[in-house]
Amino acid sequence: MPTPALLVLDAEPLPRLGRLTGRAHVEHTDAKGLAERLPHADVLLVWDFTSHAVRDAWPGEGPRPRWVHTASAGVDHLMCPELAASDTVVTNARGIFDQPIAEYVAALVLAMAKDLPRTLELQRERTWRHRESQKVAGGRAVVVGSGPIGRAIAGTLGALGITTALVGRTARAGVHGPEDLDRLLARADWVIAAAPLTEQTRGMFDARRFGVMQPSARFVNIGRGQLVVEDALAEALAKQWIAGAALDVFESEPLPADSPLWQVPGLIVSPHMSGDIVGWRDELGTQFVELYELWAAGEPLKNVVDKQRGYVPGH
């Protein structure tokens, strides 16, 4: 049996694939070379998970890889109708980012409740100004997205004494369906967007949804930038429909220097870093190698994405 051809869509630093020496013929490409090399690959590792190159190159002529793995939780950057309709198996990096993102959300909740951004501003100004802060224990949160990341967020917020409701694609034990979302938003102190990007979730946080929330509510998005209508969020903050917000993901990334979002009062902007802890790339590489060993042995793969839904089912 010939050695399988593994094509890597590169990003720096490159993945460590030494364990696959002699077990895979590894080639590397950038976005420009992907279309030419794609027909010759048995496996595609999308290491550059910010690129849309797969979505652009996949509809071309010739054979396609039997398996595509993306080093990210979301798959919206690579999914296209031709890939969704194919026999190619798609897997993602489910499990790597859950707890780091949950900790980041908890940090944002505490930072907003305790007014830490203002404290740092006053320190830089050498201004002593006593204020009162908000108690988080006893509050209510809604986490939209009931997958592993959403569940990790709910557990971590629970440790802070926050009662958390999960909202998923369908209602089931411990998870509310979309029909409950507006009712839950109207009572929530914290609203966390952690859903995958699908046609059902795109733009779900719009002017109407921000209008449903309490004036004291705060909103956090660590899911996908396209879940939020950014102009509507900016207006909601400017008109004090909600008390504050934090965005780690944006419709356009990197966020342009001239974006008005940098200047919106009450908005914390961070550069898509909520899941990126020290050593995270090594964890992603190790996960892929373990999946490759399953694939090469003919064993069932983990983290298989439902290509129609856009996420790993079963949660």
Side-chain angles (χ1 to χ4, degrees), residues 204-222:
M204 67 182 302
F205 288 100
D206 55 11
R208 188 187 69 79
R209 285 262 160 75
F210 291 122
V212 167
M213 297 178 196
Q214 301 184 92
S216 59
R218 293 181 173 92
F219 174 78
V220 176
N221 185 17
I222 49 78

Side-chain angles (χ1 to χ4, degrees), residues 40-221:
H40 309 291
D42 297 300
V43 178
L44 174 64
L45 169 58
V46 185
W47 192 247
D48 184 359
F49 52 81
T50 65
S51 172
H52 292 157
V54 176
R55 195 164 63 192
D56 296 334
W58 196 271
E61 297 294 329
R64 289 295 179 260
R66 293 173 280 160
W67 168 37
V68 173
H69 176 78
T70 179
S72 60
V75 299
D76 51 276
H77 60 289
L78 58 86
M79 201 58 65
C80 62
E82 292 82 2
L83 175 54
S86 73
D87 294 331
T88 298
V89 175
V90 175
T91 57
N92 71 354
R94 182 187 189 197
I96 299 295
F97 302 106
D98 307 354
Q99 192 55 37
I101 290 177
E103 292 172 4
Y104 197 87
V105 169
L108 289 171
V109 166
L110 290 170
M112 287 189 279
K114 304 306 177 183
D115 200 21
L116 293 185
R118 184 61 178 149
T119 293
L120 295 175
E121 290 176 7
L122 291 170
Q123 179 181 347
R124 285 190 291 268
E125 297 170 5
R126 303 189 181 194
T127 299
W128 182 279
R129 183 174 301 161
H130 181 269
R131 289 109 62 222
E132 295 178 343
S133 64
Q134 178 184 349
K135 177 182 174 183
V136 298
R140 293 172 173 163
V142 175
V143 177
V144 181
S146 59
I149 292 174
R151 294 199 301 268
I153 293 170
T156 302
L157 294 183
L160 296 176
I162 299 172
T163 301
T164 304
L166 280 171
V167 178
R169 181 173 179 268
T170 57
R172 55 199 181 278
V175 178
H176 295 267
E179 63 277 5
D180 292 337
L181 179 56
D182 287 355
R183 175 178 61 82
L184 293 168
L185 291 179
R187 304 172 61 196
D189 302 296
W190 306 96
V191 178
I192 318 298
L197 179 62
T198 67
E199 288 309 308
Q200 290 71 40
T201 61
R202 186 182 300 274
M204 67 182 302
F205 288 100
D206 55 11
R208 188 187 69 79
R209 285 262 160 75
F210 291 122
V212 167
M213 297 178 196
Q214 301 184 92
S216 59
R218 293 181 173 92
F219 174 78
V220 176
N221 185 17

Side-chain angles (χ1 to χ4, degrees), residues 216-286:
S216 59
R218 293 181 173 92
F219 174 78
V220 176
N221 185 17
I222 49 78
R224 281 291 180 266
Q226 293 86 350
L227 301 178
V228 177
V229 179
E230 293 174 347
D231 289 346
L233 174 61
E235 181 181 18
L237 289 167
K239 294 183 175 179
Q240 298 185 336
W241 293 351
I242 60 175
L247 298 179
D248 186 56
V249 288
F250 300 86
E251 187 169 357
S252 177
E253 296 184 9
L255 186 65
D258 60 354
S259 170
L261 292 176
W262 292 105
Q263 303 285 332
V264 173
L267 177 62
I268 297 174
V269 170
S270 61
H272 203 151
M273 59 180 283
S274 62
D276 301 348
I277 58 171
V278 174
W280 65 285
R281 289 185 177 88
D282 288 340
E283 290 187 32
L284 287 171
T286 297

